[in-house]
Structure formats: C-alpha cells, structure tokens
Amino acid sequence: MTMFDDRRQRPDETPLRDAMRDLLRDAQRPSMWETEDDSRLFIRDLMQEAIEKQGITPEQLAQKADVPLEAINAFLAGRGDLSDSDPLTKIERALRVNLSGW
C-alpha cells in the first residue's frame, strides 16, 4: 500500500452519497433539465453577445453564414427552429461561438 491508499478510509455507500453521485451525473447532462425554450433563450443571448462583440448586423451575419435573415431574426427573438441543426451550425461557424454546447 502506498501512503495515498484510502481503500479502508472510504465511507460506506449512503443515501447522501448516492444522491450526490446522481446530482453530479445529471449536471454533466444539462439536456435532462433544460427545456427547448431555455435552449432558445441561451442561444439568443450568446448570439446577441457575439454580434455586439464583432460589431456586425443581423443582415451581415446572414450573408456571412449563408443563412436566411428570417432564421437569424428568429434565433435573435428566441424562437429559432432547433430541429434543423444546419442553420445553427452555420451561424456558429460565422460567429466562432459554440451555440449548441449547452
């Protein structure tokens, strides 16, 4: 045994320890507790921040990302279509921001 061996020092499994393990496991998968509306608002906020930092307009973003302006405006309004990942991927590349990593 090394001086760092803690096999005999570990507490037995308890309900509190089980609950903490479950909580940490679920925290690594936020999709379990986020709704689609939460995701849309998260994307909206990240897009607005990135657009402001880069100093571009939604029209310029639409041209740069090769995405219809209606899709850009929908995401900026918090109503974007999350079922089609293509526009979101193009917007991420154009803004150089991870919008789908929630």
Side-chain angles (χ1 to χ4, degrees):
M1 285 196 327
T2 67
M3 61 187 276
F4 296 105
D5 189 1
D6 68 343
R7 283 181 280 185
R8 294 185 184 148
Q9 305 299 319
R10 293 181 190 159
D12 293 333
E13 294 295 317
T14 63
L16 179 60
R17 185 177 173 142
D18 291 343
M20 289 300 294
R21 184 176 44 239
D22 292 344
L23 180 67
L24 290 173
R25 183 192 66 232
D26 292 345
Q28 293 172 358
R29 296 181 294 172
S31 61
M32 290 182 65
W33 45 268
E34 279 188 357
T35 66
E36 282 190 29
D37 288 335
D38 292 337
S39 298
R40 284 185 185 100
L41 295 176
F42 179 75
I43 290 168
R44 177 197 66 191
D45 294 343
L46 285 176
M47 280 183 65
Q48 287 175 346
E49 184 179 325
I51 286 172
E52 288 174 9
K53 281 184 180 178
Q54 293 185 20
I56 60 175
T57 64
E59 292 81 11
Q60 291 170 327
L61 176 60
Q63 185 177 18
K64 184 177 180 181
D66 192 27
V67 174
L69 182 58
E70 296 80 27
I72 300 288
N73 288 332
F75 280 114
L76 288 173
R79 295 179 281 106
D81 181 15
L82 300 179
S83 64
D84 185 9
S85 64
D86 187 50
L88 193 57
T89 302
K90 289 179 177 180
I91 293 169
E92 285 178 325
R93 288 182 186 146
L95 291 175
R96 288 173 273 156
V97 172
N98 185 5
L99 301 174
S100 59
W102 53 85

